[in-house]
Amino acid sequence: MCGFHLNLFIMTKQEVQKKITQNGKIINLDSFSWDKENNKFSSHENGLIINFEGIDNCVFKTGSNCIFMTGNKCLFITPANCKFHTGNECVFRTHFGCEFHAGSECNFQTGVNCEINVEDAFSCEFEFVPNSRIYENGNCLFNGVGVLTNLQ
């Protein structure tokens, strides 16, 4: 795994801290764990804004109402009402009310009332329940019941 290489080094917990805010302030070091060997961020906190834009191969486990900006090949394990802006080959395991803007080759497992917007999608898989909206371009597999709109 490539890990979090920024300027040819792996991020420390203090460097990770600078990329995460809550209520407009940098998150406290005691509010999260960082496993630099497995590139895993974990917190029970809600309302986080996580800016790992351009950083690949990460794992996030958080509370609700979070916003994620990341690179490619990330895994997200979250409860409800989160927003994601990611690159390619990501996996999302969420509950209800989430919004996704993702690249290609992503896997979505969601609850109700989610909106998924995949641009230039290729080889995506969706598992969702009623009242979800999916907008995509490409060859995708759909499992579940939902409202599929703007499919090409």
Side-chain angles (χ1 to χ4, degrees):
M1 180 179 278
C2 294
F4 286 111
H5 290 92
L6 258 171
N7 300 326
L8 303 176
F9 64 92
I10 296 175
M11 289 197 306
T12 65
K13 186 172 182 180
Q14 289 78 12
E15 291 167 323
V16 169
Q17 177 190 32
K18 293 176 186 175
K19 297 186 168 298
I20 302 165
T21 61
Q22 183 180 42
N23 300 320
K25 298 178 183 175
I26 292 176
I27 190 172
N28 291 325
L29 282 172
D30 296 343
S31 297
F32 71 96
S33 66
W34 171 245
D35 178 352
K36 69 180 180 182
E37 299 302 318
N38 295 303
N39 306 318
K40 183 176 181 180
F41 172 87
S42 183
S43 176
H44 295 291
E45 296 291 321
N46 297 321
L48 301 176
I49 297 176
I50 300 171
N51 187 353
F52 276 49
E53 219 168 337
I55 300 173
D56 302 333
N57 300 311
C58 43
V59 177
F60 299 98
K61 185 173 182 181
T62 68
S64 298
N65 301 308
C66 296
I67 297 174
F68 301 86
M69 294 160 284
T70 72
N72 302 315
K73 297 183 180 180
C74 296
L75 168 63
F76 304 91
I77 304 166
T78 69
N81 299 316
C82 294
K83 293 184 181 182
F84 304 88
H85 301 273
T86 71
N88 301 323
E89 299 181 51
C90 295
V91 177
F92 305 90
R93 295 184 188 136
T94 70
H95 291 288
F96 62 89
C98 296
E99 180 181 321
F100 306 89
H101 300 273
S104 62
E105 298 184 40
C106 295
N107 179 302
F108 301 86
Q109 297 168 320
T110 72
V112 298
N113 296 319
C114 294
E115 181 171 322
I116 301 170
N117 183 348
V118 183
E119 295 182 14
D120 299 322
F122 175 77
S123 187
C124 295
E125 182 173 321
F126 301 96
E127 294 179 21
F128 58 95
V129 294
N131 299 320
S132 294
R133 293 178 290 169
I134 298 176
Y135 308 91
E136 62 88 36
N137 295 315
N139 301 314
C140 294
L141 172 66
F142 300 96
N143 296 319
V145 178
V147 180
L148 306 181
T149 58
N150 295 350
L151 298 180
Q152 298 180 358

